[in-house]
Each structure stands twice: as C-alpha cells, then as structure tokens.
Amino acid sequence: MSSFQYKRRKSSEVFIGNTPLGGDNPIRIQSMTNTSTMDTEASIAQCIRIVEAGGEYVRLTAQGVGEAENLRYIRDGLRKRGYQTPLVADIHFNPNVAYTAAGIVEKVRINPGNFADPAKKFQKHEYSEEEYRQGIEKIRARFVPFLAICKANHTAIRIGVNHGSLSDRIMSRYGDTPEGMVESCMEFLHICVEENFTHLVVSIKASNTFVMVTTVRLLVRRMDEEGMNFPLHLGVTEAGDGEDGRIKSAVGIGTLLLEGIGDTIRVSLSEDPEAEIPVAKALVDYVSTSLDRMPIDMPMPEPQRLIKRNRDVPIVIADYSRATERDNAQSINPDFLYLGKNKSFPRPENQKIITDYEIFSFEKDEYPLFTARDKAAWQNSEAPLPFLCLNYSEINDDWIEHLIRKPQTVLILSSTTSSIFEQKSFAYRLMREGIKNPVVLQRRYKEKDLELFQIKSAADCGAFFLDNQADGIFLQNETDCISPEDVNACSFGILQATGRRISKTEYIACPSCGRTLFDLQTTLKKVKAATAHLKGLKIGIMGCIVNGPGEMADADYGYVGAGIGRVSLYKGKECVKKNIPEADAVVELLRLIELGDTK
C-alpha cells in the first residue's frame, strides 16, 4: 500500500443478509437508531428513514434479552413493509443477549471490553500471568458458544473495540493506548481463527481522531502480519453535531479511506440518525474519485524514517483575494490574510497581510508571496518573512539547495492536479531532504455547498496534521457561495479536530441510541450555549455509562445519563455529582467548572 496513490486494501467478503461487505463490494454506509428497541413501531419507522436516506445496514441497541427478542418483531415489521436491509444488534455487558440476538438479526456487534470481562472500575490492578490467562479463558468460554450460534444461523459478527471501554485487565498491561485497543481486538480474532469462524467484521473507534487513526493503522499492520484480511468498519465516536461533527468525522474516516482502509463507515452525529447518511455518502463519493487520479512515482517511505515536524501550533491563512469586506464578528481571527492582487480590500489594523510580490509595499505587517516564476525576486528579497508557493512538479535539487539557504521562507505546498497524493509526495520529499522550512498546506476547491466543502477539505487535510507534516493551512474556495469567514472557520475546525490547534470549546458528544437516558440533541445545545466561551476545555455529553466515562478519558468534565431524568457529572474520570435532576444538571455542570466544586 502506498501513501501516494489510492489503492483499497483487499479484504475478505462477508455476507450480511443480502448485502455483502468487503472484497470488491462498494464501501457500505450505515447508521444506528436512537429509539427504544422495545418500541417496535417507532424503531421500524426510524429504520425506514435511515434506509430511504441510503443506509445499507441499520444497527439497534439491545440492553437486555427482552430488547434482543423484540428485534424479531422489528425485523418482521420491516420485511412485511418490503425492506430487506440487514439489521445489526449492538450488545454490551451481557453475552446472553448476544446469544439471543444472533438467532434473529443478520449481524451482532460485541464489545471485547465488556463481553466477558467485568465492567470497568478505572482501578489500577496488577494481574499475574495466571490471572491474565484465566481472563482469556473466560472470554473463550463465553465466546465460543456465541460463535457456534452465529455459525448455525449464518450471522455475521462485528468485533467492535471502543477507546472508552477497554477492560481493566487490558488496561493493567497496556494502559489506555492504541496497543491496548489492538490487543483487545486480537484476543477475539485469534479465537475466531482457531474456531474457523471468518464471518467477521472488525472496528476500532475513538472520539480522538489521532487515537482512532493511529490505532486502525496499527490493527491493519497486525492483521497483515498474521495473515488476516477481515473487512473494517470505520467511525469516529462522539463526533458531536453540526460543523464540528462533520469535520471531525471527515478527518478521521477520510484519512483512512484515502489510505485504502475501510469497507463500511458510520458517521456518528448527535443528530437524527438519518442525517448521518448524506454526510457518509458524500465522504465515500469523494474518496472514490481518487480512483481516477494518477499515482505519484515515489517509493513508499518507512514511517520511522520520516522527519516529523515539531513546531508551534499551525498557522491559518485566510483567502480574501476576491473579497470586498470582512465580517469580523463571524470569524476566528486568522494569522494572515491573503489578498493576492486585491488592492481595494481595506487593510485591517494589527492584521498580518500576504500579497503577491509584485504589489508588495514593505508596509508594516505585510509579507510577499512568491511563485516559481518569481525565483530571482525571491532570492533577492529582504522581506523578514517571505512566502513561496511551489507544486510537486516544480521542486528540484536547485530549489532544495536554495530553500536550505533560506530557512525563514514559509513554503506553501500547492498542487497542479488537486491530488492530495501529489502533496503527500511533496511533503515526503521535503522531509527526506531535511528541509526545515515551515510548510503550509494549500488546498483549492470550487464548492457551492458548505457541507461538501467541510467534508472534502477535512478528508484531504487530516493526515497532514494528524501526522505532524504541516505547519499551516491555507484553504481557498473559488466560488462566491461560501464566505471567506466560513472557509476560515473550517480551517480552524480541521486543526481542532486533529488536536493541533485548539481555538474553542471541544465537545465529545455521543450520537444517541436506544440506551440514551435524555434528549441528547437538546441537551447538547444547552451545554454548548452555556459553555461555548470556555476555549480549550473538553466537555463530554454522553447518553449512558456504556462508553461514557471511558470515552471521556481526555475530557475535563462529563455530563452522563444515570437514569430517567437523572444525570451524573464527572471531573476527569471521577464521578463527583451523582443522580442530579436533569433540570438542574447544566447549572450544576457550570458550577462544577467555574467553582471547581467536587463535593
């Protein structure tokens, strides 16, 4: 597999009802209901909305045996209405529920962190070798009968690891790490291989895009080393809603899809489930266009040989080269405004400006942008901070030599073909040559729809910032349908989603499901309205305790459903206020944040 051309990872084909996954099949799209699984008619209606939006699989939670048995009536109701879409049961904590569901639906998702191991207590405990081995044997004792039921019913399984729910046993040996997540998955995969069960899909998810991408890459390497080619389900958990949820999902999922990894995806938004489908479709459709792009003729680098960039937070350049005015109230202030040849744009005070070199005036806080054709002018420039825009076809040994001599020049990576693979090759060439100049990733689009712009730019740029290969971002959109302020906000959103630059409050919000104990969409809006001013703070809003405390592992505060009309508040992983009435919970959360009250 090469970083510099699109080539989809070859996986085995798994039949899930009448919709096969993996192999040469298209990347499948799915979502999950948030109705009560005991409410048959409401669940059927929501399944239909997901299917009609384009969902190819629909997942439903089953907390207990009763919910699992009711899946039969939901399935039958859908079939009577002419819908043959495969159903997936989502199981946590209780193997008996999985046993029941396996005889009813086409696929069952189990969580290795809680299928056999006890619920997490977040307590440090040392396991002896014998205790650790006994834990694996306990898994085998409960898992092998489940495999037998699935074999008998031709039911597929998803081994679905979540960052927030590694068992204490795994945590004791590996910690809360990508290695631990992969090992948790591999324990179950080894048993499947030993039992000759291959009707299998695998996923490893996290709300942190860096953790998610790093862990899936590690899992793929481990499976390749052991001759496993099971198809992969991709998703960023607790991505949130609106712009943030779309950008965060596109960063994580898009980065892997562009590397050829992934056979099915779910975009987890804190919105109605059917709203996830158009976002997922847009992402998959965009990545599929990479099939037509020419490969870049450069050998695949060894990851350990790459010279990682290690600078301050990345800069943001905002394009105002076609603008006549600026809406300061709606935009996070960029580091530089690019005006190009736009002489009529009013220069804001205390704002750094980049202009094309031929109109560069050496006024305060103005800097020149050179291109390859301006090489002589760039070499003779005495500007304190020159910018140089080059594309892959222009870089050569002569340019490399001059760049080494002028390390203060900011290099803007452009592209002649809009190929992200061309720019990846360019970045690798610079690292291979030991170029220390700051690198800004420039991406140009012609989008009329803001959501598509967010999805495409986040997918394209994600890897550069997750892998620490760029020092700045410069997005441009060559239509008047999207304002410079919206483009600028997207730039900051991508940096926030990759963890490279935090410019606002971050919300780790689950997409809601049948386990959710309050109206998550309304609650998220309330929490956002009350805390949006707390830049740099991470707040988790979780519908229940299944992944709540764990997925909030790097959150500062958490708001977790504890019962009907009841909420528990967390500071880090510690529950500091239990069973608060939902009507008081947002006020109590603010009090906890602002006063540091942990009583």
Side-chain angles (χ1 to χ4, degrees):
M1 189 184 302
S2 169
S3 292
F4 308 134
Q5 71 179 96
Y6 180 87
K7 183 179 180 181
R8 188 171 165 194
R9 169 183 173 266
K10 187 69 174 178
S11 62
S12 57
E13 185 176 57
V14 174
F15 276 83
I16 301 169
N18 58 2
T19 309
L21 172 69
D24 295 324
N25 295 292
I27 297 169
R28 302 295 188 184
I29 294 166
Q30 56 184 283
S31 185
M32 183 175 184
T33 63
N34 59 16
T35 52
S36 167
T37 309
M38 295 304 293
D39 189 337
T40 304
E41 290 305 315
S43 296
I44 289 172
Q46 194 169 73
C47 287
I48 290 173
R49 291 196 294 274
I50 292 171
V51 172
E52 292 187 341
E56 295 169 283
Y57 308 120
V58 179
R59 183 157 46 115
L60 305 95
T61 187
Q63 303 96 305
V65 172
E67 285 85 356
E69 290 176 340
N70 203 59
L71 290 170
R72 187 184 309 277
Y73 300 105
I74 296 171
R75 180 201 65 190
D76 292 348
L78 285 166
R79 302 298 179 256
K80 287 178 182 178
R81 290 165 173 81
Y83 293 91
Q84 302 300 319
T85 303
L87 300 183
V88 183
D90 192 69
I91 311 297
H92 294 270
F93 298 118
N94 192 338
N96 292 327
V97 179
Y99 299 163
T100 301
I104 299 171
V105 296
E106 286 82 1
K107 184 168 76 169
V108 178
R109 179 271 174 113
I110 63 167
N111 185 338
N114 57 40
F115 184 81
D117 284 304
K120 289 175 63 64
K121 296 183 174 62
F122 297 101
Q123 296 175 353
K124 186 173 179 60
H125 176 69
E126 296 298 328
Y127 285 75
S128 68
E129 287 296 326
E130 179 59 22
E131 287 174 323
Y132 200 89
R133 186 192 65 78
Q134 289 175 356
I136 296 176
E137 289 306 313
K138 184 178 179 181
I139 290 173
R140 181 182 296 279
R142 296 189 178 182
F143 190 47
V144 170
F146 175 55
L147 295 180
I149 295 171
C150 289
K151 282 182 180 180
N153 289 277
H154 306 288
T155 305
I157 297 174
R158 170 155 70 98
I159 306 298
V161 179
N162 274 15
H163 186 212
S165 54
L166 295 181
S167 68
D168 287 333
R169 179 178 59 82
I170 289 288
M171 291 279 285
S172 72
R173 180 165 293 190
Y174 297 94
D176 192 15
T177 63
E179 290 76 13
M181 295 170 70
V182 170
E183 191 59 33
S184 179
C185 182
M186 294 303 294
E187 287 181 350
F188 280 73
L189 295 187
H190 288 150
I191 296 172
C192 288
V193 171
E194 291 167 8
E195 296 296 321
N196 196 30
F197 186 92
T198 58
H199 208 46
L200 197 63
V201 183
V202 185
S203 72
I204 289 191
K205 296 186 180 183
S207 62
N208 181 305
T209 57
F210 177 79
V211 172
M212 176 261 192
V213 169
T214 300
T215 309
V216 172
R217 288 170 173 169
L218 179 59
L219 174 66
V220 169
R221 287 200 295 272
R222 280 286 302 274
M223 289 202 297
D224 286 348
E225 289 168 0
E226 299 195 28
M228 299 178 183
N229 62 343
F230 301 117
L232 287 159
H233 170 117
L234 302 182
V236 177
T237 61
E238 290 82 39
D241 64 351
E243 174 184 295
D244 294 340
R246 284 155 177 77
I247 291 175
K248 194 172 186 180
S249 296
V251 162
I253 299 171
T255 293
L256 292 168
L257 288 179
L258 284 167
E259 293 176 9
I261 297 171
D263 301 281
T264 179
I265 71 170
R266 182 203 174 184
V267 173
S268 299
L269 300 177
S270 301
E271 302 175 18
D272 292 337
E274 56 267 30
E276 299 176 349
I277 302 300
V279 182
K281 284 175 65 67
L283 186 53
V284 168
D285 289 346
Y286 180 55
V287 170
S288 70
T289 64
S290 300
L291 289 167
D292 298 325
R293 296 176 183 168
M294 291 296 291
I296 302 300
D297 186 19
M298 180 174 284
M300 172 65 178
E302 293 294 331
Q304 65 270 20
R305 295 188 62 188
L306 293 181
I307 302 172
K308 296 295 184 182
R309 317 191 72 81
N310 186 21
R311 302 182 187 276
D312 295 331
V313 294
I315 65 168
V316 172
I317 301 174
D319 182 15
Y320 280 79
S321 60
R322 299 164 59 248
T324 57
E325 60 183 1
R326 180 182 177 201
D327 186 353
N328 292 303
Q330 298 183 12
S331 177
I332 304 172
N333 203 39
D335 300 286
F336 296 88
L337 295 187
Y338 171 64
L339 301 185
K341 298 178 177 63
N342 190 356
K343 297 180 181 181
S344 63
F345 190 86
R347 265 55 168 182
E349 291 187 10
N350 302 317
Q351 174 68 64
K352 295 177 180 178
I353 302 294
I354 302 173
T355 60
D356 291 348
Y357 96 94
E358 59 264 32
I359 65 166
F360 179 63
S361 59
F362 283 100
E363 294 178 14
K364 180 184 176 182
D365 289 334
E366 290 196 14
Y367 304 93
L369 174 66
F370 300 92
T371 63
R373 68 176 180 271
D374 310 320
K375 188 173 184 178
W378 168 70
Q379 288 175 315
N380 295 325
S381 172
E382 297 180 1
L385 186 65
F387 290 78
L388 175 63
C389 185
L390 293 176
N391 61 55
Y392 181 72
S393 64
E394 293 168 334
I395 195 72
N396 54 38
D397 292 342
D398 186 47
W399 273 114
I400 295 292
E401 181 181 345
H402 288 302
L403 284 168
I404 291 172
R405 291 177 183 173
K406 299 189 75 168
Q408 79 279 12
T409 296
V410 179
L411 187 57
I412 296 179
L413 265 61
S414 184
S415 171
T416 55
T417 64
S418 296
S419 170
I420 201 68
F421 307 110
E422 180 181 299
Q423 289 175 300
K424 283 187 175 185
S425 302
F426 197 168
Y428 170 55
R429 171 78 186 272
L430 295 173
M431 288 187 287
R432 191 182 64 178
E433 300 286 354
I435 297 296
K436 303 296 185 182
N437 301 64
V439 169
V440 173
L441 179 66
Q442 180 190 46
R443 297 292 299 168
R444 296 189 185 95
Y445 302 91
K446 296 181 180 179
E447 294 302 321
K448 297 181 179 180
D449 181 83
L450 178 57
E451 182 175 284
L452 282 176
F453 176 81
Q454 293 165 347
I455 291 168
K456 292 180 179 183
S457 60
D460 285 338
C461 299
F464 285 88
F465 295 101
L466 290 172
D467 295 339
N468 203 21
Q469 293 178 350
D471 306 293
I473 186 169
F474 182 13
L475 298 182
Q476 297 176 290
N477 193 61
E478 298 173 3
T479 73
D480 295 327
C481 302
I482 302 174
S483 72
E485 287 74 31
D486 284 335
V487 173
N488 185 48
C490 185
S491 296
F492 278 100
I494 291 168
L495 297 182
Q496 176 107 5
T498 56
R500 290 291 306 279
R501 182 171 181 173
I502 306 303
S503 56
K504 54 188 174 181
T505 313
E506 183 165 349
Y507 300 95
I508 302 170
C510 74
S512 182
C513 70
R515 296 185 297 265
T516 302
L517 298 168
F518 52 78
D519 185 333
L520 195 137
Q521 293 181 42
T522 301
T523 300
L524 177 57
K525 287 180 173 62
K526 289 180 180 178
V527 173
K528 280 188 168 184
T531 61
H533 62 289
L534 301 171
K535 174 184 173 181
L537 206 64
K538 290 185 179 181
I539 301 174
I541 303 97
M542 313 296 291
C544 71
I545 63 167
V546 168
N547 297 320
E551 286 290 4
M552 298 187 304
D554 59 350
D556 301 292
Y557 295 92
Y559 181 113
V560 180
I564 301 300
R566 295 282 168 175
V567 171
S568 291
L569 300 181
Y570 286 72
K571 187 174 183 180
K573 293 180 181 178
E574 181 185 1
C575 183
V576 294
K577 288 182 177 291
K578 296 182 179 180
N579 297 316
I580 301 167
E582 186 182 345
D584 303 329
V586 173
V587 173
E588 289 295 325
L589 174 64
L590 275 178
R591 183 168 180 262
L592 182 64
I593 293 170
E594 294 174 1
L595 301 179
D597 185 357
T598 59
K599 296 180 181 179

